[in-house]
Amino acid sequence: MKVATWNVNSIRTRLDIVVNWLRENPVDVLGLQETKVIDELFPRSPFEEAGYHVYVSGQKSYNGVALITRSPLSDVSTGFTPILGADRVGEFDEQKRLITGVLDNIRIITVYVPNGGDFESDKYFYKLDWLSLLQDYLDILLKRHPQGLCISGDFNIVPEDRDVHFEVSPNSQKTGITPKEREALQRILKLGLADAFRKFNQEEGQYTWWDYRQNSFKRQRGWRIDHHYLSAPLGDRASSCIIDIAPRHLTKPSDHTPVIVEF
DNA sequence: ATGGCTCGCTCCGCGAGA
């Protein structure tokens, strides 16, 4: 099974790029983030005409996730509430950042982790609280799906210093690279998940996002923040995980580029 | 350097992104 993740920064603006990429790269699952559109206005037809099923959880202007799949999914749900309950989740499902379904007995999840704004801002603490919910959510689903779980998405966290183009200070206050965010991610991975990309590639300078400003892509000033995390059965089975930088070269690209895992 | 691009918005300047 091939699973791709891609923060497209508006599916309507990026529609042709994404559909053309999918025709050239016929993956089984494409997880999208930052679709930035309500479900009623999601451009489903181009994907359906290409032979895909479309599952969406969107909102106006911000956030929004989708799963595009060759075979139908079962047990599709959105947000944390169906698993954790309304009391635990509170207002955290108002922002549409999580969609999941089951394919071939494997739990597939796509997430758009909050950006976090400035260091120690309200958005920063919202991000940490959201990651704590994600940890509780995955703790439950990993136990329910011993055959395999794959969580993919824009995590907005640089896991290690080699995953960003500049020198990281030990107590970095740069959102996405702070100790508290990395610790939150590590607590999640300790549940039994591993970074698929690092099974195959130990190089530095392997990025998935480049700022639109300052010619960051041309200067190779990027961050690796889009990830596939696999439970042990899938991690053992995984045969490749690659970053496809080709779409970042196109005219009017997303600032992120797709990452594809095969298992 | 609270900049630098690009997105959507009952749009023509602003908040958000990372």
Side-chain angles (χ1 to χ4, degrees):
Chain A
M1 186 188 300
K2 278 192 179 180
V3 179
T5 182
W6 196 355
N7 178 325
V8 292
N9 184 16
S10 170
I11 187 56
R12 289 180 291 182
T13 297
R14 226 64 64 198
L15 184 60
D16 289 347
I17 284 179
V18 175
V19 172
N20 289 338
W21 184 88
L22 201 49
R23 289 190 183 279
E24 297 292 312
N25 301 270
V27 294
D28 298 287
V29 178
L30 172 59
L32 301 176
Q33 304 90 36
E34 283 208 87
T35 53
K36 294 187 173 179
V37 64
I38 58 172
D39 296 350
E40 293 74 16
L41 295 180
F42 191 99
R44 308 176 66 95
S45 307
F47 294 102
E48 290 168 349
E49 285 160 14
Y52 284 84
H53 300 262
V54 177
Y55 306 89
V56 296
S57 179
Q59 65 183 91
K60 193 165 70 173
S61 305
Y62 306 113
N63 312 314
V65 286
L67 282 167
I68 313 289
T69 65
R70 275 163 86 75
S71 301
L73 294 175
S74 60
D75 201 18
V76 174
S77 66
T78 65
F80 294 122
T81 306
I83 305 300
L84 294 179
D87 287 351
R88 170 74 176 97
V89 178
E91 311 299 302
F92 280 89
D93 274 348
E94 287 179 5
Q95 299 182 14
K96 304 306 180 190
R97 298 180 175 276
L98 188 154
I99 187 166
T100 184
V102 172
L103 181 61
D104 293 346
N105 282 321
I106 294 163
R107 172 59 64 180
I108 304 285
I109 307 165
T110 275
V111 290
Y112 175 48
V113 175
N115 169 289
D118 292 331
F119 181 61
E120 294 191 336
S121 65
D122 289 349
K123 287 180 183 174
Y124 179 81
F125 294 114
Y126 180 94
K127 181 180 191 175
L128 294 177
D129 290 341
W130 196 93
L131 288 166
S132 169
L133 280 165
L134 182 62
Q135 181 181 339
D136 291 355
Y137 178 88
L138 289 171
D139 192 18
I140 292 169
L141 286 191
L142 279 162
K143 286 165 181 156
R144 280 190 201 171
H145 295 277
Q147 306 96 325
L149 181 150
C150 169
I151 176 165
S152 313
D154 175 0
F155 282 75
N156 272 317
I157 299 173
V158 174
E160 299 177 276
D161 292 358
R162 60 178 164 166
D163 295 318
V164 67
H165 67 86
F166 53 82
E167 199 70 33
V168 177
S169 66
N171 269 308
S172 170
Q173 298 191 350
K174 206 157 183 57
T175 304
I177 322 182
T178 66
K180 277 192 184 348
E181 292 163 89
R182 284 178 164 177
E183 288 158 16
L185 177 59
Q186 289 310 313
R187 281 194 294 275
I188 287 168
L189 302 190
K190 272 191 190 127
L191 298 171
L193 294 163
D195 184 343
F197 184 76
R198 287 305 184 196
K199 176 176 177 179
F200 303 101
N201 188 324
Q202 304 308 319
E203 297 295 310
E204 58 178 28
Q206 306 292 296
Y207 308 134
T208 66
W209 173 82
W210 299 262
D211 199 304
Y212 284 124
R213 300 165 285 190
Q214 305 274 83
N215 275 320
S216 297
F217 182 58
K218 196 173 287 183
R219 297 160 74 187
Q220 283 305 297
R221 297 187 170 205
W223 300 27
R224 192 175 74 89
I225 53 177
D226 300 272
H227 310 298
H228 295 283
Y229 292 111
L230 306 179
S231 67
L234 295 189
D236 293 344
R237 236 166 84 180
S239 55
S240 75
C241 184
I242 61 119
I243 300 166
D244 180 7
I245 68 164
R248 191 65 177 77
H249 285 283
L250 300 174
T251 304
K252 279 182 78 76
S254 170
D255 42 357
H256 298 251
T257 212
V259 186
I260 307 96
V261 66
E262 183 164 17
F263 49 74

